């Protein structure tokens, strides 16, 4: 059985979230994990954030076939967490965020509660 994952993140944005997501995706790919990406735009997608080869690599991962039941990571701020059509079929739905503070906004609680796990 091969390992696979869906990574939902602002892949093409010029942000720390995007840079971090690209590094995780690249590392998983190098380890032999099948990675499908679902890019989201949180700020503004700019082509200059990536070389042509990087853009082509990440774009190709948008087409990667994975099973409906695979784990999905939503690597964004919790306001952007969502339930897609396969949400309840997945092995695990992980919310991953980085937020430099000692508390999170109360409005995030509902979104975080719908995830199986939260990584910070």
């Amino acid at each position: 059985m091969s390992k696979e994952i869906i990574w939902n993140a602002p892949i093409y944005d010029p942000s720390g979230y995007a840079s971090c997501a690209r590094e995780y995706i690249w590392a998983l790919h190098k380890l032999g994990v099948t990675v499908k990406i679902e890019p989201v735009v949180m700020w503004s997608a700019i082509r200059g954030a990536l070389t042509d080869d990087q853009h082509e690599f990440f774009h190709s991962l948008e087409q990667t076939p994975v099973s409906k039941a695979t784990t999905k990571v939503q690597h964004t701020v919790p306001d952007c967490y969502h339930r897609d059509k396969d949400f309840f079929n997945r092995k695990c739905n992980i919310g991953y965020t980085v937020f430099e503070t000692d508390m999170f906004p109360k409005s995030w609680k509902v979104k975080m509660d719908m995830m199986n796990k939260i990584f910070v």
Side-chain angles (χ1 to χ4, degrees):
M1 180 169 123
S2 70
K3 295 185 180 186
E4 59 183 26
I5 194 164
I6 299 170
W7 206 277
N8 175 270
I11 308 300
Y12 303 110
D13 283 15
S15 67
Y17 272 91
S19 175
C20 185
R22 291 190 297 265
E23 292 297 323
Y24 289 147
I25 292 163
W26 178 246
L28 289 166
H29 175 75
K30 284 176 59 175
L31 290 170
V33 176
T34 300
V35 181
K36 176 179 180 68
I37 66 167
E38 294 179 349
V40 296
V41 176
M42 289 177 61
W43 294 277
S44 66
I46 58 167
R47 181 71 182 239
L50 303 171
T51 66
D52 288 343
D53 288 344
Q54 290 170 323
H55 192 274
E56 185 176 318
F57 168 74
F58 287 108
H59 184 71
S60 74
L61 296 182
E62 293 180 45
Q63 313 308 317
T64 302
V66 295
S67 71
K68 287 185 197 180
T70 194
T71 295
K72 181 175 183 174
V73 174
Q74 294 190 45
H75 182 176
T76 64
V77 292
D79 284 334
C80 296
Y81 295 169
H82 64 280
R83 289 184 174 164
D84 60 15
K85 64 181 172 49
D86 295 321
F87 186 87
F88 294 104
N89 296 324
R90 300 204 192 288
K91 288 183 205 170
C92 190
N93 290 285
I94 299 169
Y96 174 49
T97 192
V98 177
F99 196 67
E100 294 85 4
T101 186
D102 59 353
M103 297 179 73
F104 59 86
K106 289 181 182 180
S107 64
W108 288 5
K109 183 169 180 356
V110 171
K111 296 286 193 154
M112 292 189 308
D113 281 347
M114 73 182 185
M115 297 290 130
N116 300 106
K117 298 185 184 294
I118 297 293
F119 291 176
V120 294

